[in-house]
Amino acid sequence: MSLSAPEFQFLRTMVYRDSAIVLGEDHSYLLEARLAAVAQSQGIADVSALARRLQRDNDPTLRRKVVETMTTNETSFFRDLGPFELLRTKVFPDLLQRRASERSLRIWSAASSTGQEACSLGMTLLEHHRSATAGWDLRILGTDLSTTIVEKARSGTYTQPEMNRGLPAPLLMRYFARSGAAWQTLPVLRDMLDFQQMNLAAPWRPLPKFDLIFLRNVLIYFDEETRRAILTRVRSVLRKDGYLFLGGADTIRDPDSGFECVRSGTTHYFQLKA
Ligand SMILES: C[S@@+](CC[C@H](N)C(=O)[O-])C[C@H]1O[C@@H](n2cnc3c(N)ncnc32)[C@H](O)[C@@H]1O
């Protein structure tokens, strides 16, 4: 049986409360299509029965499964290329100079999905700035709402089709090893990475100050109020000369955000206003 209007309303409110993801009226079909698989895996007759079960029991495990199913985890290695090119030519050289006495860099891939973005940040450093960072403490934190996705990122295991999306063959050979039919990150890359579950829209655990934050292709799922609240908190964990990269479709509309947009070719990033 398909969802009744009140059941749809109940589910979209639940998804919003737990993730801040906004599902419009026109997302009813998407919700049904994705939740059909959850219902089936739980031995529940259909999506309508799933909604009723959640209303009745408020089972936190089932609730989490439903919310995670509504996340879009689309990602790839070196997604959009432009930001990574800018890291290589401008951002990392600048940060390496500024942090020369500290010899440490803290990078955050917020909404890291299955980890390809964090791996790409690490490979950019290793490929192009390895000798300049020898002996440095380089840490890349990847966080995501979805525990299932974070577990996959932690495993560092990628299928061949995932490798085919954006990863040049020489990098595949240098930073990954065969693991059965899949590929696994090698320690030189893996040791820089740490993946943790974190909801950007809920109170944050204490975080270090970051030199570079990638918050790409996630703000689009939130309403303006949530975007503003997240960016305010991002501001508090970005070092005053740090860099923030958003996705191509994300922007900062609020003139009082405290960020200024810097354009460089076809790419742009944000820095804190002086
Ligand atoms: C489209 S992926 C973007 C991945 C990567 N940043 C990129 O650009 O390729 C969006 C990710 O945001 C995560 N996400 C959605 N809502 C979130 C929230 N409230 N807190 C943290 N992560 C969230 C999803 O689980 C998903 O993995």
Side-chain angles (χ1 to χ4, degrees):
M1 211 162 52
S2 59
L3 290 172
S4 66
E7 285 162 356
F8 172 62
Q9 211 50 46
F10 165 76
L11 288 169
R12 89 200 270 225
T13 305
M14 190 182 86
V15 170
Y16 183 76
R17 272 209 199 112
D18 290 7
S19 69
I21 294 172
V22 176
L23 297 173
E25 293 291 345
D26 52 341
H27 282 104
S28 169
Y29 173 75
L30 178 77
L31 191 76
E32 284 198 21
R34 292 204 185 166
L35 295 193
V38 178
Q40 198 181 17
S41 72
Q42 300 298 305
I44 298 172
D46 52 40
V47 285
S48 177
L50 174 67
R52 279 181 272 119
R53 168 84 66 92
L54 280 162
Q55 272 173 314
R56 195 187 61 219
D57 296 348
N58 196 18
D59 170 351
T61 309
L62 186 58
R63 188 177 169 124
R64 182 174 57 74
K65 270 204 177 80
V66 165
V67 173
E68 291 190 2
T69 304
M70 292 317 295
T71 61
T72 301
N73 312 115
E74 165 71 15
T75 191
S76 57
F77 290 101
F78 298 98
R79 185 172 183 180
D80 298 338
L81 274 174
F84 293 95
E85 188 56 15
L86 205 60
L87 289 187
R88 180 178 75 78
T89 56
K90 179 179 167 39
V91 175
F92 281 145
D94 177 52
L95 284 174
L96 296 187
Q97 204 173 17
R98 286 172 187 272
R99 306 289 182 260
S101 59
E102 298 168 34
R103 296 162 70 79
S104 115
L105 274 187
R106 293 279 174 278
I107 300 173
W108 182 21
S109 165
S112 52
S113 187
T114 37
Q116 287 91 327
E117 182 175 271
C119 287
S120 307
L121 291 163
M123 285 186 281
T124 304
L125 270 174
L126 290 168
E127 273 300 287
H128 305 290
H129 308 283
R130 193 185 294 223
S131 57
T133 55
W136 283 46
D137 184 20
L138 305 172
R139 306 236 161 263
I140 302 171
L141 172 67
T143 63
D144 200 278
L145 175 80
S146 164
T147 47
T148 321
I149 287 293
V150 168
E151 272 162 33
K152 166 145 168 66
R154 267 191 204 135
S155 78
T157 306
Y158 297 98
T159 62
Q160 187 64 55
E162 285 170 327
M163 300 311 247
N164 294 346
R165 296 195 59 207
L167 187 66
L171 300 196
L172 167 66
M173 302 317 293
R174 274 202 282 283
Y175 299 105
F176 296 85
R178 270 255 176 236
S179 170
W183 295 87
Q184 170 104 50
T185 42
L186 285 171
V188 63
L189 176 60
R190 193 165 59 235
D191 290 352
M192 300 165 76
L193 308 174
D194 177 26
F195 291 100
Q196 293 176 19
Q197 192 277 341
M198 178 177 159
N199 182 355
L200 289 168
W204 293 3
R205 71 175 72 107
L207 289 172
K209 289 264 188 184
F210 294 100
D211 303 293
L212 169 65
I213 298 176
F214 263 45
L215 178 67
R216 304 198 69 230
N217 304 305
V218 64
L219 294 180
I220 40 169
Y221 300 107
F222 304 141
D223 57 23
E224 190 51 39
E225 192 187 333
T226 307
R227 278 198 285 264
R228 199 172 309 125
I230 290 174
L231 285 166
T232 300
R233 282 186 278 177
V234 164
R235 205 170 62 197
S236 70
V237 295
L238 183 65
R239 285 184 69 167
K240 69 178 190 332
D241 55 355
Y243 292 81
L244 168 67
F245 282 78
L246 302 182
D250 306 325
T251 191
I252 299 180
R253 291 195 199 94
D254 179 5
D256 300 323
S257 68
F259 287 103
E260 65 181 343
C261 180
V262 183
R263 294 191 184 281
S264 182
T266 54
T267 306
H268 64 279
Y269 58 87
F270 296 86
Q271 290 205 285
L272 294 176
K273 284 183 186 160

